[in-house]
Amino acid sequence: MRKSIASYFTISLTICILLFVSLSNDKAFDISKYSTKGLVLNYTVNQGDSATFGNLSSEKESKLFSPHLGKSFVGFKEALAFKESGGNYFTVNSYGYLGKYQFGKETLKLIGIYNTEKFLNDPALQERAFIANAQRNKWILRRDIRNFVGKRINGILITESGILAAAHLSGPGSVKSYLRSYGVDNFEDGYGTTIEYYMKRFSGYDTSFLKPDKKAKANSV
C-alpha cells in the first residue's frame, strides 16, 4: 500500500516538474501586439447623422464613393461640368449662363431649346444638350481637328477633346481663330478663362463617342 502511494506521489511530482520546466522555457505571449489602440476603425453601418453617405466630411472620403472615370467620354463631360458649374444642374451665373454646362441662350436656340426655364429644371435635357452641342461643334471644326490634332501650339499638345472643350467655352469660331493664328488670337471669357487653358486642361480625353453632326438637336440625341 505504502509502495503504491509512493509511486503515485513520484509520478505526480514528475508531471509537475515537467510542466514547470516547459512553461518556464516558453516565451510570454505579448497581446499588446494585437491592440487596436491608435487605429482608425472602419464600419459598414451608420454611426450617426454625421457619417451618412450624403454627408462626407472631406474630398478624400467622397472619392471613395466615386467611379474612376479616367480619360473616358463620361470623364470628359463630368470634368468639364465641374469646371463650369461644380456639376450643378440648377445654377445660373452672373452672366446668365445656365445649368451644369453653363449654356448661353443663343447656343441653346441653335440646338433646338427655346424654353430656358424648362431647360434649367430638366437634367436629362441638359445632358442631351451637351452632346448635341459637342456634335455640332465637332462638325464645324472637323477640318481643324484633322489639321491640328497632334501638333503643339505654345507648348500645348492639341487634342480633339481640348478643341471641343475650348469650343464649349468660346464657340467654334473662336477656336478656329486660335488654331489658325497658332495661339495669337486667344479668346478669354468674362472670368478670365482662355481657350489655351481649356486646350491644356481637357487634353487627351476620348471623345470618339461624339459624331460630327451639322444639324444636331437636343431633342433628337
Side-chain angles (χ1 to χ4, degrees):
M1 180 71 177
R2 290 180 180 177
K3 186 176 180 180
S4 298
I5 294 174
S7 297
Y8 177 78
F9 178 78
T10 301
I11 292 171
S12 297
L13 181 61
T14 302
I15 292 172
C16 289
I17 292 171
L18 290 173
L19 287 172
F20 175 79
V21 171
S22 175
L23 291 173
S24 64
N25 287 336
D26 286 345
K27 292 182 180 179
F29 185 70
D30 184 6
I31 63 172
S32 66
K33 294 180 180 179
Y34 300 89
S35 171
T36 58
K37 183 178 180 181
L39 297 178
V40 176
L41 302 181
N42 295 318
Y43 297 89
T44 58
V45 294
N46 188 359
Q47 300 179 72
D49 293 339
S50 64
T52 60
F53 288 110
N55 186 24
L56 299 170
S57 60
S58 70
E59 181 182 353
K60 183 178 180 180
E61 288 176 326
S62 68
K63 289 180 179 178
L64 296 176
F65 305 100
S66 300
H68 179 69
L69 301 176
K71 290 291 187 175
S72 67
F73 173 69
V74 175
F76 169 70
K77 71 184 187 66
E78 293 304 318
L80 185 57
F82 187 81
K83 177 64 177 69
E84 291 286 336
S85 70
N88 186 348
Y89 284 108
F90 309 106
T91 189
V92 180
N93 76 4
S94 57
Y95 291 95
Y97 288 86
L98 305 160
K100 179 179 177 180
Y101 300 101
Q102 293 291 278
F103 276 98
K105 294 178 181 179
E106 296 306 312
T107 299
L108 290 176
K109 290 177 182 178
L110 292 173
I111 53 176
I113 297 173
Y114 301 93
N115 186 332
T116 55
E117 184 176 353
K118 179 180 184 300
F119 171 79
L120 192 62
N121 290 283
D122 189 342
L125 180 58
Q126 292 188 35
E127 294 296 336
R128 294 197 302 271
F130 177 81
I131 293 173
N133 187 57
Q135 289 177 324
R136 181 177 174 275
N137 287 339
K138 190 169 181 176
W139 184 86
I140 295 170
L141 291 162
R142 63 196 184 283
R143 292 189 181 89
D144 297 277
I145 290 171
R146 183 174 63 247
N147 293 334
F148 286 95
V149 165
K151 296 182 178 180
R152 288 186 180 273
I153 294 178
N154 295 333
I156 297 171
L157 178 65
I158 304 302
T159 66
E160 181 178 285
S161 61
I163 289 174
L164 294 177
H168 185 85
L169 172 75
S170 65
S174 295
V175 174
K176 282 187 177 185
S177 296
Y178 171 84
L179 292 171
R180 295 177 187 187
S181 69
Y182 284 84
V184 173
D185 190 357
N186 187 18
F187 171 90
E188 181 179 300
D189 74 0
Y191 298 108
T193 304
T194 65
I195 284 178
E196 195 159 270
Y197 173 79
Y198 265 43
M199 285 281 187
K200 182 177 180 179
R201 171 66 182 79
F202 299 105
S203 174
Y205 285 88
D206 181 5
T207 52
S208 60
F209 168 81
L210 298 168
K211 306 304 179 186
D213 187 350
K214 180 181 180 180
K215 299 180 180 180
K217 302 293 180 185
N219 292 326
S220 62
V221 172

